[in-house]
Amino acid sequence: MSQLSICMPSNRNLKQSRRSIESAIAYAEAVGGRFILSDNSRDPEKRAYFERRSPCLTYVVPDNDDPMFNMMTALSKVETPFLLPMGDDDEVYLLDGETPVDLSTLPADVVGVRPRTQIWKHDAGVTRTERFTIDSPAADERIVEYNQKAKGNNTIYYSIYRTGLFKPLLELFNVSHPTRGGYCDWAICLSLFACGTMVHDPSMVYRYDMGRWAQQKSIDDTKLFLYRMVGLPDSAENFWALLTFVDLYIFLMRGSLPITAQDREKVLMMNCRVALATFVREARANPERFDETALYLVELIENETDLKTIFQIALMLTDCVQPGLKERYVRFFQAAVAA
């Protein structure tokens, strides 16, 4: 039985995505895996070239152009115990002389496998390689460990995960999250790491194309684009750490999460100490970026010790990002608790 499915939502045309798709097909064939390509590019040349290219390929054409729907279409076809989300501008390779990790033998407390991630830029090639794992035995310590090791870079998102963890998380995100914004990937990863460790597969090379994240000017523009895409104002960037805190808090509320009540409480507290504390520090350091209501609520957080009350205040702060956002987050919270 196949253990792994590569899931690629693709919107680029044949010329722009060909190398990426061909690398995924070759990798899937080499490891006995599946490759699911959900293609909303509407490029007939691309469809003709790939649709029947390999017996390991499942080629799907979704009926709308929504990026998240494209991703969920790919996920809906996964029948293997593990999956790898992949961008259609990235590439994946099996390194000669290395033996892939046997996914079927991984202990239950391992949530995923990170590849040898090459950070690639068009004008410079591979600029660095990341191999770090998430090893801490305690759930709250893994949150700290990741923040220390990632250094602001969330490319570990493109790793192998247990389908039973990743797929329900994305389904909840797709159906119930207030914005379904691309800026939410940090909270998604952290909620997975709360459930277990990440090991390293030295045989898998994942070449991540930095693209718009390669230069500071384009990084700033891309961040704003992610908020604008989901109807949030540019000022939402000032609230990024707050939104990460709220998202992770709610993701951790899922009833089906394989985590003890004690570990959940520890992770929630660490989320407060890391993400929310970051927001409070930034608000204090740059008060001109926030209105009086936001600064007043920040002061309330500083003087509060009860975690549930702190979360309620954080929810009120989301209305400072955009009026009405709090009520949408309340519905998201209710959906997570029921999940």
Side-chain angles (χ1 to χ4, degrees), residues 106-146:
L106 291 178
D109 61 351
V110 174
V111 299
V113 181
R114 72 102 22 97
R116 186 189 305 247
T117 307
Q118 295 180 340
I119 310 300
W120 188 85
K121 297 181 180 180
H122 286 271
D123 60 348
V126 177
T127 59
R128 70 179 185 277
T129 301
E130 296 178 344
R131 303 177 180 84
F132 70 81
T133 53
I134 309 295
D135 307 312
S136 299
D140 56 335
E141 292 173 1
R142 289 193 292 272
I143 303 302
V144 177
E145 181 183 359
Y146 181 60

Side-chain angles (χ1 to χ4, degrees), residues 133-280:
T133 53
I134 309 295
D135 307 312
S136 299
D140 56 335
E141 292 173 1
R142 289 193 292 272
I143 303 302
V144 177
E145 181 183 359
Y146 181 60
N147 275 281
Q148 291 173 341
K149 289 181 174 179
K151 301 186 189 323
N153 181 356
N154 199 41
T155 54
I156 200 173
Y157 173 84
Y158 296 100
S159 295
I160 296 171
Y161 297 101
R162 291 189 183 275
T163 302
L165 288 174
F166 190 91
K167 190 174 177 180
L169 174 63
L170 267 287
E171 288 171 344
L172 171 66
F173 178 72
N174 178 55
V175 172
S176 303
H177 191 275
T179 70
R180 302 188 309 159
Y183 62 88
C184 301
D185 58 338
W186 277 83
I188 289 171
C189 284
L190 287 168
S191 69
L192 291 165
F193 304 152
C195 300
T197 60
M198 293 284 289
V199 299
H200 171 50
D201 185 347
S203 75
M204 173 185 270
V205 177
Y206 189 98
R207 200 193 77 174
Y208 176 77
D209 184 350
M210 287 291 283
R212 294 178 299 180
W213 300 101
Q215 305 294 333
Q216 190 58 52
K217 176 63 169 65
S218 60
I219 289 174
D220 294 339
D221 291 343
T222 301
K223 286 180 178 178
L224 295 180
F225 174 73
L226 292 178
Y227 295 116
R228 292 169 183 169
M229 266 190 71
V230 294
L232 294 180
D234 291 357
S235 57
E237 170 63 15
N238 298 327
F239 293 86
W240 179 82
L242 171 79
L243 294 173
T244 299
F245 166 77
V246 173
D247 283 341
L248 180 54
Y249 191 104
I250 295 176
F251 283 142
L252 292 168
M253 286 294 107
R254 288 176 293 152
S256 59
L257 208 65
I259 187 172
T260 67
Q262 185 179 22
D263 280 346
R264 188 196 311 269
E265 193 69 19
K266 288 181 179 178
V267 177
L268 290 172
M269 185 58 71
M270 189 57 70
N271 182 31
C272 189
R273 292 172 181 165
V274 176
L276 189 59
T278 297
F279 170 72
V280 169

